[in-house]
């Protein structure tokens, strides 16, 4: 099984694995040995498509040698090509969208040998059993789909209208996860903070109230969520960060562009000023909070002056980090049909300037951690030096440090250095406390 794309896809893949395990499947060591080659796909940018197609072609070659191999394709790419998938890729046996994962089990247990596709939203992947990648980290799918109409984005067409899960179901699930060793949970939704608005009045719970209920679950020490939309970032959610002990000091607030004119054509429904207002509120109430963002460079019609608006905003806010993307036209989106697409070289040149600024500001911001003792949740060995450990602070900063402990342990680390991406330090001997 190979996963592409966002954390929602990682979550969905854990559920697919759980479902397959319950059918008696076990992971193959190598793709060439698998009876079932399964892909969970992404379609957010053209690059995601290209990467995946190379894998799919490799699977097709394996199937030519072993014709009984079943090739399954799930997720957003599958959904976005649902009308043509079997014509263009005749070796695919089963294709399904993100709301149809359970149909994979039906397909695999049926007698049918003909190719099948399943694409209408029917149920939450969150209702399937999970096979978690890390024992102490859990995902909680609070909603699926998105009611926004951002003109660059394929997701509303791949994941459909927004549907929230019932709050009691969510609390029951988080209790089960906590009893099973999860201490850090990440709430997932395409637009996570509009959670609940579609629920019937007698079941409706706001996003901040949901956070409060999860905070009260015993054993949950850290709560994260992704991704919120700035338009729904209300004061009650920001206050919750100050009030709820488990809710981490990190907010990922996708900006996309610092130019109000571009934001308007993106249909983001906020202006530069309103976004900066949200940031001011966060800084006022949560001065130490980590703040990260997503930015798209080279949206159709973006002028040099528009782009400079993005630069000045990034400089003013001083993000702790940012994911930066070249605009990529996506099938069936409004923006793909716009004229004055920005030339590739211009996009690349702007991206380079943006990345430089993001890194400088992130590095400035990170210096506030030097000399402090921070709680770190251990994830495993450091990627650059296996003799050291790697973990994450509540601000979502990666820390490489000297110390002892197991994945899932909470330890105190004295921070001695900071770059734009990572912190470095050593575990405190006195305050160390296993989780
Ligand atoms: N081109 C480039 N980036 C995109 N994103 C979404 N759609 C596109 C696109 N067509 C980015 C946005 C979003 C992140 C997950 O991916 O910044 O927040
Ligand atoms: Fe990719 Fe978006 Fe689908 Fe996630 S929701 S898998 S990022 S297209």
């Amino acid at each position: 099984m190979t996963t592409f794309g966002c954390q929602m896809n990682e979550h969905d893949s854990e559920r697919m694995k759980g479902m397959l395990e319950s059918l008696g499947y076990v992971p193959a060591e190598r793709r060439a040995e698998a009876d079932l080659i399964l892909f969970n796909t992404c379609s957010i940018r053209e690059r995601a498509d290209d990467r995946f197609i190379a894998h799919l072609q490799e699977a097709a070659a394996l199937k030519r040698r072993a014709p009984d191999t079943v090739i399954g394709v799930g997720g957003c790419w599958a959904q976005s090509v649902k009308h043509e998938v079997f014509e263009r890729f005749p070796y695919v046996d089963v294709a399904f969208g993100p709301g149809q994962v359970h149909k994979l089990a039906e397909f695999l247990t049926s007698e049918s040998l003909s190719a099948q596709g399943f694409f209408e939203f029917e149920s939450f992947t969150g209702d399937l059993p999970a096979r978690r990648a890390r024992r102490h980290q859990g995902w909680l799918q609070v909603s699926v789909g998105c009611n926004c109409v951002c003109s660059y984005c394929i997701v509303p067409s791949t994941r459909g209208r927004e549907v929230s899960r019932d709050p009691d179901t969510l609390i029951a699930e988080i209790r089960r996860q906590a009893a099973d060793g999860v201490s850090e949970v990440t709430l997932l939704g395409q637009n996570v903070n509009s959670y609940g608005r579609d629920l019937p009045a007698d079941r409706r719970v706001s996003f901040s109230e949901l956070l409060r209920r999860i905070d009260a679950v015993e054993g949950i020490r850290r709560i994260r969520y992704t991704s919120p939309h700035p338009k729904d970032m209300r004061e009650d959610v920001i206050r919750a960060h100050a009030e709820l002990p488990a809710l981490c000091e990190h907010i990922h607030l996708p900006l996309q562009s610092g130019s109000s004119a571009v934001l308007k054509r993106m249909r983001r429904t906020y202006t530069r000023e309103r976004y900066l207002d949200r940031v001011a509120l966060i800084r006022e109430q949560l001065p130490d909070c980590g703040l990260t963002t997503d930015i798209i460079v080279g949206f159709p019609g973006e002028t040099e002056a528009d782009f400079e608006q993005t630069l000045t905003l990034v400089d003013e806010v001083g993000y702790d980090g940012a994911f930066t993307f070249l605009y990529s036209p996506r099938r069936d989106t409004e923006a793909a049909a716009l004229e004055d697409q920005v030339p590739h070289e211009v996009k690349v040149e702007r991206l380079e300037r943006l990345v430089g600024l993001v890194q400088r500001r992130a590095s400035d911001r990170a210096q506030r951690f030097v000399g402090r003792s921070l709680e770190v949740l251990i994830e495993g060995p450091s990627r650059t030096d296996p003799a050291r450990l790697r973990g994450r602070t509540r601000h979502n900063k990666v820390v490489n440090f000297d110390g002892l402990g197991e994945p899932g342990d909470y330890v105190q680390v004295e921070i001695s250095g900071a770059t734009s991406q990572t912190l470095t330090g050593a575990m405190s001997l006195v305050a160390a406390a296993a989780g």
Side-chain angles (χ1 to χ4, degrees):
M1 166 144 201
T2 311
T3 307
F4 302 87
C6 62
Q7 290 169 313
M8 186 66 94
N9 262 22
E10 284 179 42
H11 161 270
D12 290 354
S13 288
E14 290 189 354
R15 301 294 165 148
M16 287 184 209
K17 287 180 190 161
M19 186 179 77
L20 290 169
E21 259 181 20
S22 70
L23 294 177
Y25 283 78
V26 290
E29 290 281 313
R30 292 184 307 126
R31 191 175 277 168
E33 290 159 9
D35 304 307
L36 167 67
I37 301 179
L38 189 60
F39 296 103
N40 193 10
T41 61
C42 170
S43 215
I44 194 83
R45 284 169 292 274
E46 211 173 340
R47 266 257 295 282
D49 284 9
D50 296 346
R51 272 184 61 214
F52 159 63
I53 297 292
H55 282 262
L56 186 58
Q57 282 163 348
E58 190 199 310
L62 291 172
K63 184 169 172 144
R64 278 196 291 278
R65 267 179 272 154
D68 288 342
T69 310
V70 173
I71 299 184
V73 182
C76 289
W77 175 86
Q79 183 78 30
S80 76
V81 297
K82 63 179 176 182
H83 298 299
E84 39 178 342
V85 56
F86 296 115
E87 273 163 45
R88 281 175 58 198
F89 308 94
Y91 42 81
V92 170
D93 296 287
V94 55
F96 50 96
Q100 286 275 318
V101 171
H102 57 291
K103 284 285 173 54
L104 172 65
E106 270 177 42
F107 176 85
L108 293 172
T109 51
S110 76
E111 302 289 304
S112 165
L113 290 174
S114 59
Q116 287 191 48
F118 306 100
F119 299 108
E120 292 307 309
F121 172 76
E122 265 179 17
S123 66
F124 298 104
T125 40
D127 291 336
L128 297 167
R131 149 63 58 213
R132 287 197 309 275
R134 286 201 180 104
R135 186 162 188 272
H136 60 276
Q137 278 177 335
W139 307 112
L140 186 66
Q141 180 182 50
V142 306
S143 61
V144 297
C146 181
N147 291 351
C148 297
V149 289
C150 300
S151 59
Y152 50 82
C153 189
I154 198 167
V155 175
S157 78
T158 61
R159 293 214 179 237
R161 301 281 299 168
E162 187 169 305
V163 196
S164 299
R165 289 173 82 199
D166 186 84
D168 289 349
T169 309
L170 295 176
I171 298 303
E173 162 149 7
I174 213 66
R175 289 209 178 107
R176 261 197 314 276
Q177 289 194 19
D180 193 38
V182 168
S183 66
E184 179 180 76
V185 64
T186 302
L187 280 51
L188 295 175
Q190 254 66 49
N191 182 359
V192 71
N193 55 349
S194 71
Y195 169 78
R197 297 206 188 130
D198 57 309
L199 291 171
D202 60 328
R203 310 291 313 153
R204 192 172 306 148
V205 159
S206 69
F207 184 61
S208 61
E209 176 58 25
L210 179 68
L211 289 170
R212 203 168 298 280
R213 290 192 193 178
I214 294 173
D215 181 74
V217 173
E218 200 168 312
I220 298 298
R221 284 180 70 162
R222 287 184 174 188
I223 305 172
R224 304 184 184 283
Y225 57 87
T226 197
S227 278
H229 193 298
K231 79 175 164 59
D232 297 315
M233 203 62 194
R234 308 256 162 82
E235 196 165 353
D236 59 330
V237 178
I238 297 171
R239 257 202 330 267
H241 280 268
E243 291 166 6
L244 305 178
L247 188 57
C248 287
E249 292 83 355
H250 172 224
I251 298 178
H252 182 73
L253 198 63
L255 165 70
Q256 314 303 1
S257 169
S259 151
S260 294
V262 173
L263 287 169
K264 188 155 186 202
R265 276 181 284 122
M266 288 177 163
R267 298 198 188 281
R268 288 291 287 172
T269 72
Y270 54 85
T271 58
R272 173 190 177 93
E273 290 68 33
R274 214 182 110 74
Y275 183 92
L276 283 171
D277 258 14
R278 296 293 94 185
V279 173
L281 198 63
I282 293 168
R283 292 280 196 240
E284 180 194 307
Q285 304 217 0
L286 313 164
D288 190 43
C289 187
L291 192 59
T292 56
T293 198
D294 292 343
I295 300 171
I296 298 177
V297 165
F299 184 79
E302 182 190 74
T303 62
E304 176 62 24
D306 288 322
F307 175 64
E308 276 165 19
Q309 294 267 297
T310 299
L311 292 179
T312 55
L313 189 146
V314 167
D315 197 32
E316 186 177 331
V317 170
Y319 292 103
D320 294 80
F323 297 110
T324 50
F325 308 105
L326 297 180
Y327 167 72
S328 168
R330 303 284 56 211
R331 51 190 160 268
D332 304 325
T333 57
E334 189 188 342
L338 292 177
E339 295 185 358
D340 51 5
Q341 298 282 327
V342 175
H344 183 71
E345 320 76 71
V346 177
K347 284 189 206 170
V348 171
E349 185 268 338
R350 286 182 189 165
L351 189 78
E352 279 169 8
R353 278 148 74 199
L354 178 61
V355 168
L357 177 63
V358 163
Q359 286 178 347
R360 272 198 307 284
R361 297 295 283 119
S363 168
D364 298 344
R365 275 285 284 174
Q367 302 313 313
R368 75 187 188 282
F369 298 123
V370 176
R372 282 165 66 181
S373 166
L374 297 179
E375 181 198 83
V376 172
L377 170 56
I378 300 179
E379 289 181 350
S382 155
R383 287 183 189 161
T384 46
D385 177 0
R388 304 182 84 205
L389 289 169
R390 171 194 158 98
R392 247 168 235 275
T393 69
R394 289 173 57 96
H395 306 84
N396 209 33
K397 277 280 176 192
V398 171
V399 190
N400 293 305
F401 62 100
D402 298 313
L404 284 174
E406 295 298 319
D409 289 351
Y410 289 84
V411 296
Q412 288 296 129
V413 174
E414 306 289 332
I415 305 299
S416 55
T419 66
S420 61
Q421 301 278 344
T422 55
L423 305 178
T424 182
M427 201 166 124
S428 336
L429 296 174
V430 252

